[in-house]
Amino acid sequence: MHAVAISSTGLFTPPEIITNEELVVAFNEYATQQNAAHAAEIAAGTRQPVPMSSVEFIEKASGIKRRYVMEKSGVLDPARMRPRFKARPDTEISMMAEIAVAAANDALQRAGKTAADIDGVICASANMQRAYPAMAIEIQTAMGIKGFGFDMNVACSSATFGIQMAVNMVQTGAARAVLVVDPEITSSHLAWKDRDCHFIFGDVCTAILVERLADAPPGAFEVLGTKLFTSFSNAIRNNAGFMSTSEDRSPDERDQLFYQEGRKVFKEVCPLAAEHMASHLAEHQLVPANVKRFWLHQANLSMNQLISRKLLGRDATPEEAPVILDEFANTASAGSIIAFHRHHDDFKAGDVGVICSFGAGYSIGSVVVRRT
């Protein structure tokens, strides 16, 4: 059995930014138009008016201040309220593959590696651009990697679940090195017309290079262990899929995009995530006080604060539980990896950290690492 390390991470940041101020202007214009168009029904009590949004509401509810997106003009058009993408022919690289290649190449460059050093690609994402062929195989081929590729989806926990799959392969000798890529074009599955969630998501792509510790560069993070948990819940859901057309479903039906019971998720997931990390650390004879940093899933600032408080028995400092949510918003599976990518340079040899994600499923994944 081989010792395993995370040698590097990579990040692709989309070209456009939507601030809360811009988002609120567009949403409130949409709300005004809808309320005017349905004024009679609203007055009769047969239809609820679309409530107005505000910067204060968004920041209090989430801690988000802005988000990166692949395309903003369509989102900010009150008559459209979704990205404006152009379909690419099958002969061109797909959008998800394109941003995954960018993040993966960033990770390889940081580790001093090339495609020849990699045996496999796992595309772990909350939403796949298509059913098949696998996005991972397109990414693998575009990068010139010999070996294999496959897709997996565990919603916002996809990256940590993907890391465990990669760790298992490297540990057993099935592969020397595996790239886990997390392209998240979440702007296409967000209900921008829903005041309660129109601000939540942003686009991004991260990549994680998992390889044998013996082959890793100095300063890599040894993986001490991984731990996964799932328990079925309907509290976070998206029902869009290949059966929708056979069911004569309209893409405009609300459940064909992301929706959630936010308060229920908060109440149920926070204790689960805290207990999951505490028990995982105990398996390695560690306690939360031994951990220099928790790189948590970036869905909601209040959730992360409560989870940290349950773990530590006090409020975590920004150094102990860094936040990237304010800049990136919720980026599904990529959030905890962005936090790790941005906030690990100050680690010294022997310092321990935990990467943890949690989301729909419910699903929770954690990775305990130690700086070499």
Side-chain angles (χ1 to χ4, degrees):
M1 301 286 280
H2 298 276
V4 183
I6 293 177
S7 289
S8 64
T9 53
L11 176 66
F12 167 83
T13 303
E16 300 190 353
I17 295 170
I18 299 177
T19 66
N20 285 349
E21 289 78 8
E22 290 177 293
L23 193 61
V24 166
V25 168
F27 181 86
N28 285 350
E29 177 58 29
Y30 161 77
T32 298
Q33 292 178 7
Q34 289 295 304
N35 292 340
H38 301 283
E41 297 160 84
I42 293 170
T46 58
R47 184 186 184 97
Q48 291 297 313
V50 179
M52 296 293 172
S53 187
S54 71
V55 171
E56 294 74 21
F57 163 72
I58 293 172
E59 294 187 7
K60 182 178 179 180
S62 66
I64 296 167
K65 295 181 179 179
R66 69 180 200 177
R67 70 283 300 145
Y68 296 96
V69 293
M70 297 298 290
E71 201 283 326
K72 67 188 283 186
S73 70
V75 173
L76 298 180
D77 180 352
R80 181 179 176 87
M81 303 291 280
R82 62 183 185 275
R84 188 175 281 111
F85 294 148
K86 182 179 179 181
R88 299 183 181 187
D90 293 350
T91 52
E92 290 185 16
I93 190 169
S94 63
M95 185 180 291
M96 281 188 73
E98 182 176 61
I99 67 174
V101 168
N105 280 332
D106 184 31
L108 290 181
Q109 184 178 19
R110 290 172 186 271
K113 304 288 183 174
T114 69
D117 298 309
I118 310 302
D119 292 329
V121 175
I122 301 173
C123 182
S125 174
N127 295 274
M128 295 298 169
Q129 184 168 342
R130 59 170 183 265
Y132 47 81
M135 298 303 307
I137 301 175
E138 182 179 9
I139 296 160
Q140 170 206 352
T141 302
M143 295 186 68
I145 294 171
K146 306 298 181 185
F148 64 88
F150 64 88
D151 295 348
M152 59 180 292
N153 179 342
V154 201
C156 290
S157 295
S158 295
T160 50
F161 277 59
I163 289 171
Q164 172 154 321
M165 298 302 102
V167 167
N168 290 346
M169 292 175 194
V170 174
Q171 195 171 53
T172 60
R176 297 167 302 158
V178 177
L179 274 169
V180 180
V181 292
D182 320 296
E184 294 289 7
I185 305 177
T186 60
S187 58
S188 285
H189 85 115
L190 177 57
W192 296 98
K193 297 178 181 179
D194 186 333
R195 197 282 302 261
D196 289 340
C197 71
H198 77 111
F199 51 85
I200 290 180
F201 289 106
D203 300 335
V204 81
C205 185
T206 53
I208 308 105
L209 173 56
V210 178
E211 65 178 338
R212 295 175 185 175
L213 180 60
D215 298 332
F221 283 80
E222 181 180 4
V223 177
L224 300 183
T226 58
K227 185 180 179 71
L228 310 180
F229 167 85
T230 55
S231 178
F232 186 76
S233 170
N234 276 319
I236 312 171
R237 193 157 178 138
N238 184 333
N239 289 332
F242 72 93
M243 292 178 65
S244 295
T245 55
S246 300
E247 296 167 344
D248 298 324
R249 303 293 301 278
S250 166
D252 292 328
E253 291 183 38
R254 182 63 188 86
D255 73 332
Q256 298 295 287
L257 295 168
F258 164 88
Y259 67 103
Q260 68 172 350
E261 298 177 62
R263 289 184 176 85
K264 184 177 182 181
V265 172
F266 186 96
K267 181 179 178 180
E268 294 178 347
V269 169
C270 290
L272 285 174
E275 169 57 28
H276 178 91
M277 283 185 278
S279 64
H280 191 189
L281 287 167
E283 292 171 8
H284 298 279
Q285 293 73 56
L286 296 167
V287 296
N290 300 135
V291 176
K292 180 180 178 72
R293 190 156 297 150
F294 293 92
W295 300 288
L296 302 178
H297 172 50
Q298 305 285 310
N300 180 284
L301 181 58
S302 296
M303 286 185 73
N304 285 11
Q305 290 171 337
L306 179 56
I307 290 167
S308 300
R309 196 176 303 126
K310 286 181 175 292
L311 273 170
L312 299 171
R314 57 173 173 79
D315 290 337
T317 67
E319 291 73 29
E320 290 171 318
V323 174
I324 56 88
L325 177 74
D326 54 342
E327 177 184 353
F328 285 86
N330 183 342
T331 51
S333 71
S336 60
I337 308 304
I338 302 171
F340 175 79
H341 179 81
R342 285 278 190 89
H343 298 280
H344 72 262
D345 288 344
D346 61 330
F347 268 54
K348 298 178 175 62
D351 286 345
V352 172
V354 178
I355 302 169
C356 184
S357 59
F358 35 88
Y362 295 129
S363 57
I364 304 173
S366 56
V367 185
V368 180
V369 296
R370 181 174 60 204
R371 191 76 184 255
T372 58

